[in-house]
């Protein structure tokens, strides 16, 4: 995920997996990417078919949503909450496909 030499798609998939698994690195990457979405290493890897805009944050919101049970087990609930907050802060500028986590 943090390997600059890796392909953007692979980095995105690593972030989505780690986030779904409630790993700190995944949550931290979501928060960091949300600080400046267009500079995220995977920005535009997934494109919304209807609107032709980046769709990665919609997918990451699903990953954060799916992490609930594991976040409780791993005691990463606070970081999960921060990832949600980071996504909410960009909800007015990034496309989320009408999805809710």
């Amino acid at each position: 995920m943090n390997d600059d030499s890796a392909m953007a798609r692979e980095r995105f998939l690593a972030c989505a997996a780690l986030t779904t698994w409630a790993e700190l690195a995944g949550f931290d990457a979501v928060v960091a990417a949300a600080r400046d979405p267009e500079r995220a290493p995977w920005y535009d890897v997934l494109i919304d078919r209807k609107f032709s805009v980046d769709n990665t944050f919609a997918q990451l919101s699903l990953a954060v949503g799916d992490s609930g049970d594991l976040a409780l087990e791993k005691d990463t609930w606070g970081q999960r909450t921060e990832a949600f907050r980071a996504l909410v802060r960009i909800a007015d500028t990034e496309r989320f496909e009408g999805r809710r986590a």
Side-chain angles (χ1 to χ4, degrees):
M1 179 177 62
N2 295 321
D3 182 356
D4 292 337
S5 67
M7 294 175 56
R9 182 174 189 82
E10 304 305 318
R11 295 176 76 179
F12 170 74
L13 291 172
C15 180
L18 289 170
T19 301
T20 302
W21 298 333
E23 293 293 327
L24 292 176
F27 294 139
D28 289 345
V30 170
V31 170
R35 282 190 196 112
D36 191 358
E38 291 183 15
R39 294 184 57 89
W42 48 74
Y43 197 79
D44 280 342
V45 165
L46 298 177
I47 302 295
D48 179 278
R49 290 178 284 157
K50 186 174 180 181
F51 297 101
S52 298
V53 295
D54 176 78
N55 194 39
T56 56
F57 288 99
Q59 298 306 310
L60 291 175
S61 72
L62 293 174
V64 175
D66 288 344
S67 69
D69 291 338
L70 286 175
L72 287 172
E73 287 181 30
K74 294 181 176 185
D75 197 29
T76 57
W77 193 264
Q79 291 82 1
R80 179 179 185 261
T81 300
E82 289 308 312
F84 269 129
R85 287 180 178 153
L87 293 170
V88 168
R89 283 192 287 273
I90 62 169
D92 62 336
T93 59
E94 296 301 317
R95 179 104 180 113
F96 282 87
E97 291 186 338
R99 299 196 186 233
R100 296 179 191 166

